[in-house]
Amino acid sequence: MINFKNLHKKILKKNQNWIIFHLILASILLSVFLLEFKLVGQSVYGDARYYMAFTRSLYFSQNVDISDEMAHFWSPESNNLPAGFDPVPEFQNVIKVTTHNFSLGISVIWLPIYLIADVLVIIFSKFDSGIVRNGYSDIYQIILGIGNISFVVGGLIILSSILTKFYSKFISALSIILILFSTNLFYYSAIDAVNTHPFSFFGTSLLLFLLFKYKENKKLKFLFMQGLVLGFLTANRMQDGILILIPFLTILRGIKIKKIKREKEIIKILIMGLAGVIGYLPQLILLFLGQNRILLIPHLAKAESDFMPFRHLSDILFDQKLGVFFYMPILSASVFGLFLFKKNNKTFGTVFITIFVLVFTLISSYDGWGVAGYTARYFISIFPILIFGLAQCISLIRKRYSNLFLYLVIGIFILHQGLSVISFKLFWQDPTFVGSELSNSGQLKIQIIEILSKYYPLQLL
């Protein structure tokens, strides 16, 4: 007989440090998110309004008519006032307009999280708390933010379990710290947390986990789950369809010359394809209703007829506002590390490098890559792949130099990212307005600029 009580204790004791480690990371992200919410007064703005609009419409109205949601005036005050659920006639065309650029994937993925928020609102309303069940209020926004932070932390936990198959816990932990705090993942999981990128990070991490699970145990359920995750990823961001190379790796390696073997592999492909269609179905339905199409790559919308690879190569690398070399130089080390990783893990290394090249080619071809936002955020989807390159670089430095030197290098990259975020918030990002008035963070930004201007010849860019 297995003593499950003692087994549970052994598992907890064995993973105690990892649990504490990830709890600390989660606490940091949550604290920064709540501070940002306190300063700005809301966490849903920009593109997130469309994503949350679809979620609200699906949840309360069971349709994708977001005309009433897009008529909502977003502000800390109006978000917490009663709101109706009736379509607004002059906004009837908004579905066709928004489906041209926005995916429905994250809106469907958020539904369970949104349900939690709504249940809390219903409970609190029983105690005369003043919280209104309108689908916009603070509690909905905060819970969605916490949900996205959970996606990121969940992705980091998954990556920890994968990395330890190749590296020590020490190197794995440092890799996790670097990918979170020396890239824009921190910004999009704590400061601007209500967006599509946390799920992209989580989904890719989960896809890798299922790949290794299938490698260890050839059960069809792991293939089905890979297809399902890939479908959700593609519905969330079309560019993530490139990650289909990961599940196909699990099948193509098993194709044999014999006809029977080929038939088995074809069945596996069909199973995975069916799961992918199920995961992509929400986006498929929305696009069919709104655009009469089945695929959407929004930032290529202007260039679909004259696709030109690398048209924005120099901007992606060296742009002073969003360039990778200025804001995320750690990615260069990651790519270099992938080639080192490939020497010992040829198959996985080749697939990882291929995915990076394809994603980089696509991103550098975007017409809209430089829209408002912090750095080239489209790389977040492949951070779970690039982390293997980071781990390889850390391993190399540790072999050749002291731990002190390793800590110094890591500290420099993290400090650089922190200064980059501060620089962006102060000088590159426009002050945040709520309606016609500056938000608390916008007012704070202006005050800091005025103080600095007394000592340095600065201007608001």
Side-chain angles (χ1 to χ4, degrees), residues 68-355:
D68 52 330
E69 283 81 10
M70 295 316 299
H72 174 69
F73 180 75
W74 288 88
S75 74
E77 292 75 30
S78 59
N79 291 342
N80 295 286
L81 294 175
F85 299 92
D86 297 323
V88 182
E90 60 266 31
F91 282 85
Q92 286 297 327
N93 196 45
V94 77
I95 300 176
K96 291 186 178 180
V97 174
T98 53
T99 54
H100 186 65
N101 286 303
F102 296 96
S103 300
L104 185 62
I106 193 62
S107 303
V108 174
I109 293 163
W110 277 347
L111 284 173
I113 304 172
Y114 199 79
L115 170 63
I116 294 173
D118 193 50
V119 169
L120 290 175
V121 169
I122 293 173
I123 293 174
F124 290 148
S125 63
K126 302 294 184 181
F127 299 96
D128 297 326
S129 61
I131 297 177
V132 294
R133 190 176 179 228
N134 63 3
Y136 301 109
S137 61
D138 294 348
I139 194 166
Y140 291 96
Q141 298 186 41
I142 289 173
I143 295 299
L144 283 181
I146 293 174
N148 269 9
I149 290 173
S150 300
F151 281 139
V152 173
V153 176
L156 295 175
I157 293 173
I158 291 172
L159 287 175
S160 300
S161 67
I162 300 174
L163 285 170
T164 50
K165 298 178 183 293
F166 298 89
Y167 307 97
S168 67
K169 286 188 176 182
F170 176 77
I171 291 176
S172 299
L174 291 182
S175 302
I176 293 294
I177 291 172
L178 265 179
I179 203 68
L180 178 60
F181 294 112
S182 67
T183 69
N184 57 2
L185 180 60
F186 173 74
Y187 185 91
Y188 287 107
S189 58
I191 298 174
D192 186 3
V194 182
N195 56 73
T196 63
H197 305 295
F199 180 78
S200 292
F201 178 79
F202 172 78
T204 306
S205 302
L206 184 57
L207 200 59
L208 288 173
F209 175 79
L210 292 170
L211 167 65
F212 286 102
K213 289 296 291 184
Y214 182 77
K215 182 184 175 185
E216 296 169 359
N217 190 336
K218 298 293 191 296
K219 289 186 177 181
L220 291 180
K221 67 177 182 180
F222 294 125
L223 271 183
F224 183 87
M225 292 170 68
Q226 285 183 67
L228 194 62
V229 171
L230 182 65
F232 277 123
L233 278 168
T234 309
N236 184 49
R237 303 193 71 83
M238 181 58 67
Q239 75 169 51
D240 293 346
I242 292 175
L243 295 169
I244 196 173
L245 288 177
I246 293 177
F248 267 138
L249 170 65
T250 64
I251 296 177
L252 296 180
R253 291 181 69 194
I255 291 181
K256 306 294 182 181
I257 298 177
K258 293 181 179 180
K259 183 178 180 180
I260 296 178
K261 289 289 185 181
R262 288 201 304 270
E263 290 176 350
K264 287 183 178 180
E265 301 308 318
I266 291 174
I267 292 174
K268 292 178 181 178
I269 292 175
L270 291 175
I271 290 174
M272 191 174 62
L274 174 63
V277 171
I278 293 173
Y280 184 69
L281 194 59
Q283 180 70 354
L284 184 67
I285 293 173
L286 177 66
L287 287 176
F288 180 78
L289 291 175
Q291 296 292 334
N292 224 6
R293 60 197 296 186
I294 62 174
L295 298 176
L296 170 70
I297 306 180
H299 297 299
L300 285 180
K302 298 179 183 178
E304 288 177 344
S305 59
D306 59 341
F307 178 76
M308 185 183 297
F310 306 115
R311 69 164 62 197
H312 296 295
L313 177 61
S314 60
D315 294 326
I316 267 227
L317 296 177
F318 304 112
D319 182 79
Q320 291 185 2
K321 182 178 180 181
L322 297 169
V324 170
F325 277 123
F326 285 106
Y327 288 89
M328 292 190 293
I330 193 70
L331 295 192
S332 301
S334 301
V335 176
F336 172 73
L338 282 183
F339 285 92
L340 297 179
F341 179 78
K342 180 177 174 289
K343 291 182 179 180
N344 298 323
N345 304 274
K346 187 175 181 179
T347 303
F348 292 120
T350 301
V351 172
F352 290 169
I353 292 172
T354 302
I355 289 175

Side-chain angles (χ1 to χ4, degrees), residues 35-36 39 421-427 431 438-460:
L35 176 61
E36 175 75 6
L39 289 173
V421 171
I422 293 173
S423 174
F424 174 76
K425 295 288 284 185
L426 283 179
F427 305 114
L438 278 170
S439 65
N440 292 338
S441 64
Q443 296 175 18
L444 180 62
K445 173 178 178 175
I446 298 300
Q447 292 172 3
I448 294 175
I449 292 294
E450 290 176 349
I451 294 173
L452 292 176
S453 298
K454 294 180 181 179
Y455 303 97
Y456 303 99
L458 298 173
Q459 60 180 359
L460 185 62

Side-chain angles (χ1 to χ4, degrees), residues 9-26:
K9 289 181 178 179
K10 288 180 180 179
I11 293 174
L12 285 178
K13 185 176 182 181
K14 181 180 178 181
N15 296 288
Q16 184 176 13
N17 291 337
W18 273 124
I19 294 172
I20 295 173
F21 174 75
H22 288 106
L23 282 175
I24 291 173
L25 297 182

